[in-house]
Each structure stands twice: as C-alpha cells, then as structure tokens.
Amino acid sequence: MIKKIEHIGIAVKNINESNQLFEKLFGVQNYKIEAVESEGVSTSFFMVGQTKIELLEATTENSAIAKFIEKKGEGIHHIAFEVDDIVAEMQRLKNEGFELIHQQPKDGADNKRICFLHPKFTNSVLVELCQEKIK
Ligand code: ZN
C-alpha cells in the first residue's frame, strides 16, 4: 500500500551550492549528506516541517542524475512514496501494467529499500517507492 509522499528529489549540479541555497530557502540545515555509490550520486536531506527534500548531485558521468541534468537541466527529479511492503507493491504495480526500472528493491539513501517506476508509464513523473529498512 502506498502511504504518503516520503520525499521529493531535486537534481542539482553542485550540491554544496544548493545546500546553501536550500538552507536559506527552508530556514533549516540539512540533516544528512550521503553518497550512494551504486547510483553514482551524492545526496543531501532536509526536513521541512513534515516534508523531506532530497538533493541529488551526480558523482559519475553515467549516473541517472547526470543524464537528467544534461537533458532537462536542474529541477524536480522524482517523487518518492512510502510503502509498507515494497516487494508486494512492486508486484501490484507490475500487475497493473506499470514498468519497473529494476526488478528487485535496491539500497537507497537514508536507510531505504527503493525501486523506480519507468516514467513512460506515469505521465513522465519519475516515481520512487521506498520502504524503511528494519534496523
Ligand atoms: Zn529519492
């Protein structure tokens, strides 16, 4: 079951500069910086009230964020929804005709198991599913 928006991901060219910009905008500091090497990204997380914002900077040329910025420039990259059972939700969405970018959940930033849906099937919105890892 999809529970709520877990975070919104924003692609940025320079995470240090964008950290300063969003700190000013939100009036809060980021609570975490985390590299996800498998995705070729560096991430920064802000908690704005109850809403989480993730900044993503590419750390390799082949990363999806590098390609996104090349095509579309900086901006909103994905919307992540919290699910209670990611494997069950992936199966449900597959049965509904959505295409998953990966067939198994992957490790994401901020202690999550994640999966992306192909934007071709979601009105070009890149949708991430995420489930908190059990510690
Ligand atoms: Zn995300």
Side-chain angles (χ1 to χ4, degrees):
M1 193 179 70
I2 289 183
K3 291 156 79 178
K4 62 168 191 176
I5 291 179
E6 212 283 331
H7 64 269
I8 294 170
I10 299 173
V12 302
K13 285 183 184 163
N14 182 315
I15 206 156
N16 293 324
E17 285 177 14
S18 295
N19 272 333
Q20 290 176 20
L21 181 111
F22 283 95
E23 269 176 33
K24 268 191 248 170
L25 180 70
F26 298 144
V28 291
Q29 289 203 321
N30 65 342
Y31 67 88
K32 175 189 272 196
I33 288 189
E34 187 180 346
V36 185
E37 275 170 33
S38 60
E39 295 289 304
V41 294
S42 179
T43 64
S44 169
F45 287 91
F46 289 85
M47 207 65 213
V48 188
Q50 296 186 9
T51 302
K52 192 191 285 180
I53 304 289
E54 174 185 32
L55 306 182
L56 303 111
E57 176 197 58
T59 53
T60 67
E61 279 175 25
N62 294 327
S63 109
I65 295 300
K67 288 175 189 156
F68 177 88
I69 286 179
E70 203 179 283
K71 267 200 228 161
K72 298 186 177 172
E74 294 176 295
I76 293 180
H77 177 257
H78 65 270
I79 301 179
F81 293 95
E82 185 182 319
V83 297
D84 49 7
D85 181 344
I86 194 164
V87 173
E89 202 56 28
M90 287 166 72
Q91 190 57 52
R92 183 184 75 81
L93 293 170
K94 250 200 278 191
N95 294 345
E96 292 285 0
F98 294 96
E99 199 175 291
L100 308 177
I101 292 181
H102 9 268
Q103 301 310 310
Q104 297 292 331
K106 302 171 48 160
D107 284 340
D110 212 22
N111 196 46
K112 297 284 192 291
R113 297 170 79 202
I114 64 165
C115 169
F116 285 96
L117 271 62
H118 201 296
K120 200 165 72 184
F121 297 85
T122 52
N123 285 174
S124 301
V125 176
L126 182 57
V127 172
E128 175 185 341
L129 306 177
C130 60
Q131 180 182 5
E132 187 87 9
K133 276 195 239 171
I134 299 154
K135 284 173 194 166

